[in-house]
Amino acid sequence: MASDPLLELIKSLTEGEKRDFRKKGAGSSYMELFDAMDGMRVYNKDKVKEQLRNPVFAKNLSAGKNYLYRHILESLRILHGRAKPNPSPEVAVSEYWANVHVLWEKNLFAQIFKLISQAKKHCKAYHLLHDSLKFILLERRLISRFQQRNLLKKLGRLHAECAEIQRHLDMELKLVQVYEQIWVNYRNAAEQKLKIALTDGMAF
């Protein structure tokens, strides 16, 4: 059984998905790594390095694997019509959801947990609080279904995360209400001054 995330993903690919990926990556340096790992049943770092002709690539194997992993997911999204070019922070969230969907179809739930963690960090960095809540809810659902160890502790941690986000949302709502009141008062005062100016102008 594959124990490496990249190898797990490669082994989950159908022949059609592999064929499509090889077509898209023809001539690319990372295809050598793809072919080396595709021929393995269990991940062996030394054997992978032996099959890589570029010594620089072999030396930076970890970076190469991460690069290949992202390209496989991108290829799957494109193949299944879920890719978004040059995503903004908000659109990038949909890419995370697309990746979750791809991994879910492959039953790679351990990798989904890791992807959710990355997505939550992204949402936090760009203050996408509502999206953060959605990923937390998915995480709670997965933990309830697929994890048994420290279940209550993990769910308690997620509950605390939800409560913290909700506090921020409540604070934002109050700020919006204050800004709206200021704007309405300013606009009404400006309209009143405009009416006075028009009246004075007509009188002149």
Side-chain angles (χ1 to χ4, degrees):
M1 181 178 179
S3 58
D4 178 82
L6 176 58
L7 184 57
E8 285 182 340
L9 181 59
I10 291 175
K11 290 303 180 184
S12 74
L13 300 178
T14 65
E15 288 303 315
E17 290 169 341
K18 289 182 181 180
R19 186 166 52 249
D20 179 75
F21 183 70
R22 285 194 169 96
K23 182 178 179 180
K24 291 171 183 171
S28 301
S29 58
Y30 59 79
M31 288 307 302
E32 188 176 323
L33 175 59
F34 179 84
D35 291 332
M37 296 193 66
D38 187 33
M40 292 184 166
R41 294 186 62 185
V42 178
Y43 178 67
N44 187 308
K45 182 178 180 180
D46 294 331
K47 287 186 178 180
V48 170
K49 288 186 174 182
E50 289 175 1
Q51 297 184 56
L52 299 178
R53 289 170 291 181
N54 189 329
V56 177
F57 198 31
K59 186 178 180 180
N60 297 282
L61 183 59
S62 179
K65 287 175 63 182
N66 289 334
Y67 185 79
L68 177 58
Y69 186 92
R70 292 195 300 270
H71 273 270
I72 292 174
L73 285 179
E74 180 182 1
S75 175
L76 290 169
R77 291 200 310 269
I78 292 172
L79 179 63
H80 297 291
R82 302 186 186 102
K84 303 286 190 305
N86 303 317
S88 65
E90 291 79 8
V91 174
V93 172
S94 69
E95 298 296 332
Y96 278 108
W97 281 111
N99 288 341
V100 165
H101 183 78
V102 167
L103 294 173
W104 195 299
E105 290 180 342
K106 304 296 183 182
N107 294 319
L108 300 175
F109 296 109
Q111 296 190 36
I112 292 177
F113 279 114
K114 184 176 180 180
L115 193 61
I116 289 175
S117 178
Q118 296 172 357
K120 290 197 305 183
K121 290 178 181 178
H122 172 83
C123 292
K124 184 176 181 179
Y126 291 99
H127 205 64
L128 304 174
L129 300 179
H130 290 93
D131 291 302
S132 292
L133 284 176
K134 292 178 182 178
F135 282 111
I136 291 173
L137 291 175
L138 175 60
E139 189 175 7
R140 290 175 64 179
R141 178 182 169 193
L142 288 172
I143 287 175
S144 298
R145 289 183 60 184
F146 300 108
Q147 292 192 354
Q148 295 180 346
R149 296 182 59 184
N150 300 320
L151 180 59
L152 291 178
K153 183 178 179 181
K154 292 175 180 178
L155 292 176
R157 173 179 56 81
L158 293 178
H159 177 76
E161 288 183 25
C162 287
E164 180 64 22
I165 291 174
Q166 191 60 56
R167 281 194 291 270
H168 283 286
L169 289 173
D170 291 342
M171 186 181 300
E172 285 191 354
L173 178 59
K174 291 178 181 178
L175 286 174
V176 168
Q177 290 173 337
V178 170
Y179 287 137
E180 286 177 341
Q181 290 174 357
I182 293 173
W183 165 245
V184 169
N185 290 332
Y186 171 80
R187 186 189 64 187
N188 290 340
E191 288 179 351
Q192 187 63 30
K193 290 180 181 179
L194 179 60
K195 288 180 181 179
I196 293 173
L198 287 173
T199 301
D200 292 343
M202 293 295 292
F204 180 79

